[in-house]
Amino acid sequence: MFKNLQVVGGTFREFRMVRGLRVEVGEELRGWRWGEPPVQPPPLGVRLSVTDVVGGYCESRRDLYLKKVVGVRAEPNGGMKFGAYIHEVFRRSLAELRRLIEGGVVKGWELVQSFNAEAAAREAASAADAEADPRGVELARYLAIQVAARVDEIASRSPADPLSVAARAVPVLAEYVIDGRPLGLTLVRADALYHNVVVEIKVGSYSERHTLALAGYALAIEADEEVPIDAGLLIYVAFNGGVKLRAYPVAIGEGLRREFLEERNRLMELVASGSDPGLSPKCDDKCPLWRHCHGGSG
């Protein structure tokens, strides 16, 4: 069930509950066992991204065939660009807020005044190659207010140096980058990591495929860091009379891990075969390759 998410200083109260999730995962399904089946990738010389494995629009996965075999370059649609923009706003806002605190801005009101939400949103739009959107500014301001509240809460308990305050007020590692090669993946970019909870930020509605992405990130982190990642958190951002975040905790157990690994293997074999899987029985006209499959340039 979804929960309303209260953000306090870049951390999420629901993380306490998610971190308490306990799942049974056999040693053979841990990412650090990447040299042995079933985690070991098939020796096909194919590398995929987590997004490639999870998919999104194409049921037959002709999109992957066109991208990896034919070499078609898909232009992201408006929704994809907006999603990338919101991701950048999240990442850049938290990074800038932490930088300000580390620099000595340790009073909430001063932090809000010092933080430039418009600049954060503008830089995010440039990085995402998207149009600047007022909702990005709204999100940046929202994050600043929540972080400021956390800064004041920390200060009220006991004196602390700026570095300590920053680490406690903004403990989320935004955009956690992992080398995915041991799993046959490309460079893996998890949206965030909070201790041992992997985080995926989404704009839109809940989808089961988003939970599958968490399994991919967890396996990649385990392969790289050799620490268990048993839980994830999907965070959905909505703008309806203000910023609203909703959280969905996910236990990254054996079933989810097997599903990701089996899909990875199947799609690697699809690409290695070079065979066109054909059109999807239900083509989504939002797919960035729709025009390529149905006439016109992609």
Side-chain angles (χ1 to χ4, degrees), residues 84-85 88-89 92 119-130:
Y85 167 62
E88 280 293 321
V89 171
R92 290 172 181 272
R122 186 168 57 250
E123 291 168 5
S126 177
D129 192 24

Side-chain angles (χ1 to χ4, degrees), residues 3-14 86 89-90 93-94 97 108 111-112 115-118 120-121 134-150 169 201 235-247:
K3 291 181 175 288
N4 289 325
L5 195 68
Q6 295 297 320
V7 181
V8 180
T11 185
F12 307 97
R13 294 192 187 280
E14 279 71 12
I86 292 301
V89 171
F90 241 102
S93 295
L94 292 181
L97 288 163
L111 182 63
V112 172
F115 177 68
N116 190 330
E118 289 80 4
R135 288 171 290 183
V137 178
E138 190 177 6
L139 175 60
R141 287 175 178 160
Y142 175 85
L143 292 171
I145 291 169
Q146 301 302 320
V147 172
R150 176 60 174 161
I201 299 166
I235 299 174
Y236 291 87
V237 185
F239 302 90
N240 183 15
V243 177
K244 290 182 174 58
L245 306 183
R246 294 177 72 81

Side-chain angles (χ1 to χ4, degrees), residues 262-275:
E262 289 169 3
E263 187 67 357
R264 176 202 64 181
N265 294 352
R266 182 182 77 85
L267 294 174
M268 283 184 169
E269 290 168 1
L270 183 153
V271 172
S273 74
S275 300

Side-chain angles (χ1 to χ4, degrees), residues 51-66:
T51 301
D52 289 335
V53 176
V54 173
Y57 291 105
C58 187
E59 186 177 326
S60 72
R61 297 315 311 270
R62 190 170 194 253
D63 61 332
L64 191 60
Y65 162 79
L66 292 172

Side-chain angles (χ1 to χ4, degrees), residues 132-167:
D133 189 293
R135 288 171 290 183
V137 178
E138 190 177 6
L139 175 60
R141 287 175 178 160
Y142 175 85
L143 292 171
I145 291 169
Q146 301 302 320
V147 172
R150 176 60 174 161
V151 166
D152 285 341
E153 181 185 344
I154 293 168
S156 69
R157 293 176 181 173
S158 61
D161 65 273
L163 291 180
S164 176
V165 173

